[in-house]
Amino acid sequence: MGVGVLPLENLALATLNVPDSPQLRARTAELTRPGGVELQLANTYEARDRTGFIAIAVNRSRMVENAWIRPGWPDRIRPDAFPAVLYSTYMTAVQRALAVELAHRPVQQPSAPAPDDAYVDPAALSLEEWVRRTRSRLDAIDAEYDAIRRRQQAPPPDVTEIRSPLGYLTMQMRRGGPIAITGDPQALDNPSSTVLADEILQLFGRAGLGVALGEPSPPVHPQDDTAGEARENCYESRVAEDDHFAELNDSGWLE
């Protein structure tokens, strides 16, 4: 008795295609050709906010390697808006790294599927053997659907929070990925740009999203006296920052 059944192991899921749209093309061009200059593969990729006062650099593994805050940033960015602008700048740097790496990925020709040595023509099976194999496949499908339903019905994972050493910034994370950055507007009211840049690096390092920075400073509440001293004593180390942004400006990066 011949039974015309398509073996389930021969089925293949459709390939996921990213839709091509004017918005997507514009975003890709913005990421890979900032200022009209096409970016090449590099060890680090940088992004800045619209004001040019916040810059974040990530490596090819999308780990934060450096952060720069230009002095005088409170004149252009409100302290209560700073965390959201920082998060957006970080996401742009990550997206830029992904976009540039994908744009330069070599095109691979699809390989022919390997012959399936385990395939048996259903017409060659007895009715009992065909029923047994079919029931086994259906049971496996039911088990997979049950697992999918359990995952969908499971409560969402808890959001964890990670604080920067001095408490300026807090990162919310879910499933190991950042979903937001918040901050204390009073603590962010005109702090040293050097301290703030270090807070950012320490925050991403603590979250496992930055390069190793050594032992971080112990957490201190931003209203404690020790935190106040740290903010008061760190207004002088700005020459290196100014030089860095001057180089970026000369190269046209901050135009």
Side-chain angles (χ1 to χ4, degrees):
M1 176 179 178
V3 182
V5 178
L6 178 64
L8 294 179
E9 56 264 30
N10 287 355
L11 294 177
L13 294 177
T15 302
L16 178 62
N17 294 318
V18 178
D20 186 15
S21 66
Q23 294 82 1
L24 180 60
R25 289 196 297 270
R27 180 57 176 167
T28 302
E30 181 183 355
L31 291 170
T32 60
R33 295 190 297 275
V37 179
E38 183 176 359
L39 296 180
Q40 301 300 317
L41 291 175
N43 292 326
T44 59
Y45 300 93
E46 295 182 355
R48 63 181 176 90
D49 75 307
R50 293 186 182 277
T51 69
F53 276 74
I54 300 175
I56 298 291
V58 301
N59 60 23
R60 300 181 71 171
S61 299
R62 276 79 71 188
M63 302 286 281
V64 173
E65 284 203 350
N66 217 333
W68 301 275
I69 309 297
R70 292 179 66 179
W73 67 265
D75 296 334
R76 301 292 300 276
I77 306 172
R78 298 194 320 271
D80 60 329
F82 181 90
V85 175
L86 169 64
Y87 179 74
S88 177
T89 306
Y90 160 72
M91 293 303 298
T92 298
V94 170
Q95 292 170 359
R96 173 158 291 145
L98 285 169
V100 174
E101 295 284 328
L102 286 174
H104 292 83
R105 182 179 57 180
V107 178
Q108 296 181 349
Q109 298 298 329
S111 57
D116 187 358
D117 297 334
Y119 171 69
V120 177
D121 186 353
L125 300 175
S126 66
L127 176 61
E128 293 76 11
E129 179 64 13
W130 177 82
V131 170
R132 185 190 68 79
R133 293 191 178 202
T134 302
R135 182 177 293 117
S136 175
R137 295 182 187 123
L138 292 176
D139 289 343
I141 292 174
D142 288 340
E144 182 61 26
Y145 275 126
D146 287 341
I148 293 173
R149 283 193 291 267
R150 285 194 299 270
R151 289 194 294 268
Q152 291 176 339
Q153 296 171 357
D158 294 335
V159 174
T160 58
E161 291 191 343
I162 298 175
R163 255 180 118 203
S164 61
L166 296 178
Y168 287 109
L169 301 165
T170 301
M171 181 182 294
Q172 281 81 42
M173 300 188 67
R174 180 185 290 135
R175 289 178 177 158
I179 58 175
I181 296 177
T182 60
D184 181 353
Q186 292 183 343
L188 289 170
D189 186 12
N190 200 31
S192 161
S193 56
T194 303
V195 169
L196 194 50
D198 184 67
E199 282 281 277
I200 293 170
L201 292 176
Q202 295 286 359
L203 176 67
F204 281 95
R206 288 182 169 191
L209 303 172
V211 297
L213 299 172
E215 289 295 327
S217 304
V220 181
H221 193 278
Q223 294 181 352
D224 291 345
D225 291 338
T226 52
E229 291 179 3
R231 292 194 295 273
E232 292 296 328
N233 293 334
C234 293
Y235 277 86
E236 62 269 9
S237 301
R238 296 179 174 175
V239 175
E241 292 176 85
D242 290 336
D243 289 344
H244 174 79
F245 277 94
E247 292 173 2
L248 294 178
N249 192 49
D250 291 341
S251 65
W253 193 77
L254 290 176
E255 292 297 332

